[in-house]
Amino acid sequence: MRTSKIFTIILGLLIIVVSVFISIYFIKLSALDITTRILFLTLFTINIVALFTLIFFVSKNLFSIYMESKNKVLGYKFKVKLMTFFVILTLIPSTFLFIAASGLATNYINQIFSPQMKEPLRKSIELARTFYDYERERALRIAEDISRGKISNVFDDFSVKRYSTLPENATDTIKDAFSGKRGTEIITYDIGDIIRAVVPAKNKKDGIIIVEILIPKDISRKSEELKEIYEDYLKLEGFKMPLRMNFVFILGFFTLMIVFSGIWVSIKISRSITIPIQNLAVATKKAATGDLNVHVDSTSKDEIGLLIESFNQMITQLREGKESLQNAYLESDRRRLYLENILENINSGVMFLDSDGKILTVNKAVCFILNLKQEDIIGKTYSELVNMLNSEDLATLIKSIEGKEVRQIKRDVKINIKGENNILKVYILGLREDHTSKALGMLVVFDNI
């Protein structure tokens, strides 16, 4: 979490620094008007923020997967493989697309602002300027020739005017001519441009001589259009670097967008698989420890959902089976306690022997009738008990049934207990699960009669 905050702060500072440098760059573009600079600055800022925001989310997802791989989170290998596949699948074509598109855009922009495009405009402007300069020089030369008397005052392609006094609305050039300075000027009218040459007369009393040459409207209009086109082109040259940078940033944004989409889709698919598996693994671990009250939620209907549903059904069956076993055990224990209570309170001696002839259980009546302690009987074999009782009738009875299948025997047996003669009515029953199964042991019940 701390690393993520540090990375966010660094990214924010980087965005601010880049934005400041871009702002300074656009402020210095004097060829562009303020509206255009603001527009380009806004577009650049939006592109930069979008690009770095996308980089942040891509880096965040990559860092998340890195931490999962470092902490060995279940399913991280599958995520890494799937993400690598999608990144390669999207990065290769998007990189080629970025290189090709940026190359084409850069080449197209360079062609627009190439010298081959600029040179004809520049030469056209120079041609128009040369034409006007030529007409200026011609008008000035004619005015000087008239002033010296070399030519007359009447010509077809220009007009001559003389002023001995300063006329109304005189221009600076005319005023300067009265001061003894010659000059030319261009005045634009509806009919076209007038090239005016003004020179002082040879005799100062005669005032000044003005020669005016009319440039037809079509020529003047086309010259003005060429000038405007050239000025617009010079302004557009200031767009060259911003346009190129904008194209690169936009293409880079879309390239990263494609890569990010691949990463996002891979993470989305991997999570739809790994998260249910993680939940299933956690539930399995709990079930292995004996907690059968687990349930894994799943909304998917695919194979993962089927697996989770099968697991939930299995856990439900195990839980029901465990509950049935617990209930059966409780019932069995209750019956055992009930039976033990009965056996401990009846007057008949009850003894249970396993299939090997070892005494497993006796009640109090056995110890009382045989005048023995319980620890002297339990765990002993029937032959050891017969030897302790020292009864010929009992020994004869045992010999008669040894190695034979015992179903049910009733017999009176004489026995001497501590010097006293007693007669025991003995009942022996072989215990089986059913009539065809092997004997599980024998039940011996006897009374002192």
Side-chain angles (χ1 to χ4, degrees):
M1 183 65 69
R2 184 178 179 183
T3 307
S4 178
K5 289 182 179 178
I6 294 174
F7 180 74
T8 305
I9 293 172
I10 293 174
L11 186 64
L13 292 174
L14 188 61
I15 292 174
I16 293 172
V17 170
V18 173
S19 300
V20 169
F21 275 106
I22 291 174
S23 301
I24 294 172
Y25 172 78
F26 278 106
I27 289 172
K28 291 182 178 179
L29 289 177
S30 57
L32 304 179
D33 58 86
I34 186 65
T35 304
T36 306
R37 279 183 277 179
I38 292 174
L39 177 61
F40 268 99
L41 180 61
T42 304
L43 289 175
F44 253 89
T45 304
I46 293 173
N47 285 331
I48 287 293
V49 172
L51 186 62
F52 279 97
T53 302
L54 197 57
I55 292 173
F56 169 74
F57 282 109
V58 172
S59 303
K60 184 179 179 181
N61 285 317
L62 294 176
F63 180 76
S64 175
I65 293 177
Y66 168 74
M67 292 303 297
E68 288 183 4
S69 62
K70 187 176 180 180
N71 297 324
K72 305 298 182 183
V73 177
L74 182 65
Y76 81 92
K77 291 183 179 179
F78 178 76
K79 283 185 180 180
V80 171
K81 290 180 180 178
L82 191 62
M83 188 195 69
T84 304
F85 172 75
F86 271 90
V87 168
I88 293 174
L89 190 65
T90 56
L91 185 60
I92 293 175
S94 59
T95 302
F96 280 115
L97 180 63
F98 171 76
I99 295 172
S102 60
L104 287 173
T106 303
N107 187 41
Y108 180 71
I109 293 172
N110 289 335
Q111 285 183 356
I112 292 177
F113 300 103
S114 64
Q116 290 80 4
M117 294 289 292
K118 183 179 179 180
E119 193 64 19
L121 291 175
R122 188 183 65 80
K123 288 184 176 180
S124 298
I125 293 297
E126 288 182 356
L127 181 62
R129 188 180 295 116
T130 301
F131 172 73
Y132 271 79
D133 290 342
Y134 173 77
E135 292 297 317
R136 280 173 179 265
E137 291 294 330
R138 191 166 75 92
L140 189 62
R141 188 173 59 255
I142 292 171
E144 289 178 346
D145 289 343
I146 293 174
S147 175
R148 296 188 185 99
K150 292 182 178 181
I151 58 176
S152 62
N153 295 338
V154 181
F155 292 92
D156 293 335
D157 59 342
F158 60 87
S159 62
V160 179
K161 297 179 182 178
R162 295 176 181 270
Y163 289 98
S164 57
T165 60
L166 186 68
E168 295 182 358
N169 301 323
T171 62
D172 292 337
T173 304
I174 295 175
K175 292 177 182 179
D176 291 340
F178 277 99
S179 300
K181 296 179 181 180
R182 66 176 187 172
T184 59
E185 60 183 355
I186 298 175
I187 303 173
T188 301
Y189 292 101
D190 293 337
I191 59 174
D193 289 340
I194 299 293
I195 296 178
R196 177 184 292 169
V198 184
V199 296
K202 188 174 182 182
N203 188 355
K204 292 183 178 181
K205 293 181 180 180
D206 294 335
I208 61 173
I209 299 172
I210 298 175
V211 175
E212 293 181 344
I213 298 177
L214 175 65
I215 304 298
K217 185 176 181 180
D218 291 340
I219 296 176
S220 62
R221 180 172 55 81
K222 290 178 180 179
S223 298
E224 188 65 28
E225 288 177 356
L226 280 174
K227 181 181 178 181
E228 290 177 357
I229 291 172
Y230 186 70
E231 289 177 352
D232 291 340
Y233 183 84
L234 292 179
K235 289 182 179 179
L236 283 175
E237 276 192 326
F239 287 80
K240 182 178 180 180
M241 185 58 67
L243 281 174
R244 186 185 300 170
M245 293 174 64
N246 250 327
F247 270 113
V248 171
F249 275 112
I250 291 173
L251 291 172
F253 172 77
F254 280 108
T255 302
L256 278 181
M257 190 68 184
I258 295 172
V259 176
F260 173 75
S261 300
I263 294 175
W264 183 81
V265 170
S266 65
I267 292 176
K268 192 74 174 176
I269 294 175
S270 62
R271 283 180 178 175
S272 66
I273 297 174
T274 56
I275 290 179
I277 291 178
Q278 288 175 356
N279 296 334
L280 189 61
V282 172
T284 304
K285 190 174 181 180
K286 288 183 179 179
T289 59
D291 184 8
L292 297 179
N293 294 318
V294 294
H295 182 81
V296 182
D297 296 325
S298 177
T299 57
S300 61
K301 302 298 181 181
D302 54 7
E303 288 78 5
I304 300 296
L306 181 62
L307 176 62
I308 292 175
E309 185 64 27
S310 301
F311 174 81
N312 290 332
Q313 292 178 0
M314 180 187 70
I315 291 296
T316 301
Q317 293 174 0
L318 288 174
R319 185 171 59 249
E320 292 175 353
K322 183 179 179 181
E323 291 174 355
S324 299
L325 287 175
Q326 288 177 344
N327 293 332
Y329 174 77
L330 292 175
E331 180 65 21
S332 175
D333 191 59
R334 185 183 66 80
R335 291 183 180 182
R336 181 184 61 79
L337 292 174
Y338 180 69
L339 182 59
E340 287 180 355
N341 190 39
I342 293 175
L343 291 175
E344 291 298 324
N345 290 282
I346 62 174
N347 294 326
S348 299
V350 180
M351 184 185 304
F352 177 71
L353 292 80
D354 63 11
S355 57
D356 296 327
K358 185 181 290 186
I359 301 171
L360 300 178
T361 304
V362 296
N363 65 349
K364 291 180 180 180
V366 170
C367 298
F368 177 74
I369 294 172
L370 300 180
N371 196 14
L372 294 172
K373 294 181 179 180
Q374 195 173 33
E375 56 267 22
D376 295 334
I377 302 173
I378 295 178
K380 300 293 193 298
T381 61
Y382 66 89
S383 58
E384 291 174 333
L385 180 61
V386 170
N387 291 334
M388 283 189 293
L389 295 176
N390 193 18
S391 170
E392 292 183 3
D393 287 352
L394 185 58
T396 303
L397 175 61
I398 295 301
K399 287 181 180 179
S400 65
I401 64 174
E402 276 185 336
K404 297 180 181 179
E405 184 179 353
V406 179
R407 293 286 183 175
Q408 183 176 343
I409 297 174
K410 291 182 182 180
R411 193 77 54 87
D412 292 340
V413 177
K414 292 180 181 180
I415 189 171
N416 187 286
I417 302 172
K418 300 296 183 181
E420 294 183 1
N421 294 320
N422 294 276
I423 299 175
L424 301 180
K425 181 179 287 295
V426 180
Y427 176 78
I428 301 174
L429 177 66
L431 299 178
R432 293 174 173 81
E433 290 184 359
D434 53 47
H435 295 290
T436 60
S437 64
K438 187 179 179 180
L440 299 174
M442 287 191 296
L443 180 65
V444 180
V445 180
F446 55 88
D447 291 299
N448 189 344
I449 61 175

